[in-house]
């Protein structure tokens, strides 16, 4: 787990703090004693985690701007004078990338270049963590093994391809501009399909599923047998924070790509996750119909199976996922149940972080 002593008074520049993962990361870093400076677009949904969980209140700096604006990124990062940069801002959806390919590439590729260029010019920066995705790997149909950090990058859809490009941009900056030689650790991180409280992103399975279950509505599935590496959002975030600590201490040793995926038991078909959430809803007395399965649009290709090999993180960082899929689902469901009950969601969010860090089972 992250070490609070490493973060006391540490200045952090966090892009994407108005998003789902970014909001959870901002809360966790603040709880560790860090001074968080956020940079992102305004939240894209109503409701959203940023407002519901009071993320702005834990940020010492809050800038609403686009990572595609190089001058704005540079100004905000230099104003923050951070020790650590976490770059999460992105266009995060596969299906959206089919409709907005240019926006996806400009945000995910050039946006990353803008952040790295600003970090390169800022003398205070000592560690940079760039967040990509498990989908950055070149899909190998019928491939029976989890993807390792050394496997080829690629991407059929624009989103996946843009994240593979992000990896290459980061690797180029690390080598071409001698980040490591200057004492700056630059790493990329690839996580699985994250779930958790406060995700209202449209056209994403778990947010749509939570809404349908809460309303007792039918859930429609495009790819019920697609296998994904499901994990609660706190699992990879623990890895990101731990990796940043190592980059600060030994940049040459840890400056590379890292997988933070669940073990094989948590890599389940979509239908298994749906049935797990439906069972939680029924346990709360909500009548949920059986899921309806429809054929996916032929033009929108999505990978049939994705799994990550996280042995490098386990062996060299001591990172290990703590939650089973049922526990991750329960934690997500209970967060949303608390929100429906009008609880103080900043307190609920912090409590779930504290419980997870203390290795306690999901609780409210």
């Amino acid at each position: 787990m992250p070490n609070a002593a490493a973060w006391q008074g540490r200045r952090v520049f966090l892009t994407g703090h108005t998003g789902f993962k970014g909001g959870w990361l901002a809360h966790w870093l603040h709880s560790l004693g860090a001074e968080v400076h956020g940079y992102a677009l305004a939240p894209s949904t109503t409701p959203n985690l940023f407002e519901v969980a009071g993320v702005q209140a834990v940020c010492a700096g809050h800038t609403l701007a686009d990572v595609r604006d190089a001058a704005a990124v540079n100004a905000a990062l230099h104003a923050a004078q951070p020790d650590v940069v976490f770059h999460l801002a992105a266009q995060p959806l596969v299906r959206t990338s089919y409709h907005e390919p240019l926006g996806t590439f400009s945000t995910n590729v050039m946006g990353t270049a803008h952040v790295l260029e600003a970090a390169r010019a800022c003398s205070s920066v000592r560690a940079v963590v760039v967040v990509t995705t498990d989908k950055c790997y070149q899909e190998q149909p019928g491939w029976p093994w989890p993807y390792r950090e050394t496997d080829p990058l690629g991407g059929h859809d624009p989103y996946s391809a843009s994240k593979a490009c992000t990896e290459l941009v980061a690797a180029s900056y690390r080598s071409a501009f001698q980040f490591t030689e200057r004492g700056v650790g630059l790493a990329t991180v690839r996580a699985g399909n994250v779930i958790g409280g406060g995700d209202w992103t449209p056209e994403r399975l778990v947010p749509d599923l939570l809404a349908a279950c809460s309303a007792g509505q039918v859930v429609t599935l495009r790819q019920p047998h697609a296998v994904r590496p499901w994990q609660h959002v706190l699992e990879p975030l623990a890895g990101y924070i731990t990796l940043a600590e190592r980059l600060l201490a030994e940049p040459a040793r840890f400056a590379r790509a890292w997988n933070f995926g669940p073990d094989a038991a948590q890599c389940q078909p979509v239908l298994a996750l749906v049935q797990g959430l439906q069972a939680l809803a029924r346990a709360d007395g909500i009548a949920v119909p059986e899921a309806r399965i429809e054929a996916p649009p032929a033009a929108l290709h999505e990978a049939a199976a994705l799994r990550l090999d996280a042995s490098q993180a386990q062996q060299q960082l001591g990172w290990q996922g703590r939650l089973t899929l049922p526990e991750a689902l329960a934690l997500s469901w209970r967060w949303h149940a608390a929100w429906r009950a009008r609880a103080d969601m900043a307190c609920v969010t912090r409590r779930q972080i504290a419980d997870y860090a203390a290795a306690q089972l999901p609780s409210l």
Side-chain angles (χ1 to χ4, degrees), residues 39-320:
Y39 181 102
L41 294 174
S44 60
T45 65
T46 301
N48 57 78
L49 178 69
F50 181 75
E51 294 173 347
V52 168
V55 175
Q56 185 171 345
V58 302
C59 294
H62 166 60
T63 301
L64 291 179
D66 198 321
V67 291
R68 292 176 292 185
D69 185 337
V73 171
N74 187 67
L77 192 147
H78 276 75
Q81 287 293 298
D83 303 291
V84 180
V85 176
F86 287 98
H87 176 44
L88 278 69
Q91 191 298 96
L93 302 175
V94 171
R95 288 170 66 82
T96 297
S97 76
Y98 279 106
H99 305 298
E100 301 175 12
L102 295 182
T104 298
F105 281 110
S106 62
T107 297
N108 295 354
V109 182
M110 287 308 300
T112 299
H114 293 157
V115 171
L116 294 179
E117 182 66 12
R120 180 170 77 96
C122 185
S123 61
S124 67
V125 174
R126 302 263 57 86
V128 182
V129 177
V130 176
V131 176
T132 66
T133 176
D134 59 334
K135 298 175 182 64
C136 70
Y137 291 105
Q138 179 65 53
E139 185 182 356
Q140 306 286 342
W143 184 257
W145 301 286
Y147 291 103
R148 299 166 298 179
E149 290 89 346
T150 53
D151 285 331
L153 301 173
H156 181 280
D157 57 88
Y159 168 75
S160 301
S162 74
K163 286 298 193 175
C165 291
T166 297
E167 290 279 349
L168 295 175
V169 168
S172 173
Y173 262 81
R174 183 168 51 236
S175 59
F177 301 113
Q178 299 180 317
F179 268 57
T180 304
E181 290 79 359
R182 295 190 293 113
V184 180
L186 168 57
T188 57
V189 292
R190 308 158 182 177
N193 286 46
V194 295
I195 62 177
D199 187 2
W200 282 285
T201 308
E203 291 196 353
R204 204 145 76 180
L205 175 64
V206 173
D208 291 347
L209 183 57
L210 283 165
C213 287
S214 298
Q217 297 174 346
V218 174
V219 176
T220 300
L221 304 179
R222 298 190 309 270
Q223 299 273 11
H225 304 297
V227 175
R228 294 290 182 267
W230 309 107
Q231 57 188 160
H232 192 273
V233 63
L234 294 177
E235 302 273 51
L237 292 186
Y240 300 172
I241 298 171
T242 300
L243 174 59
E245 294 173 12
R246 302 296 197 277
L247 289 169
L248 287 167
E250 299 182 75
R253 180 180 174 189
F254 295 99
R256 57 182 181 278
W258 298 82
N259 285 342
F260 293 100
D263 61 32
Q266 315 317 319
C267 298
Q268 295 288 327
V270 166
L271 188 58
L273 178 135
V274 171
Q275 291 169 340
L277 273 179
Q278 287 179 325
L280 289 167
R282 290 171 183 141
D284 279 356
I286 300 173
V288 182
E290 293 299 318
R292 178 174 60 234
I293 297 173
E294 66 176 18
L300 302 184
H301 169 85
E302 295 185 60
L306 282 171
R307 290 188 296 145
L308 293 175
D309 182 341
S311 57
Q312 177 181 257
Q314 292 164 1
Q315 294 167 12
Q316 299 186 34
L317 297 176
W319 176 87
Q320 180 69 51

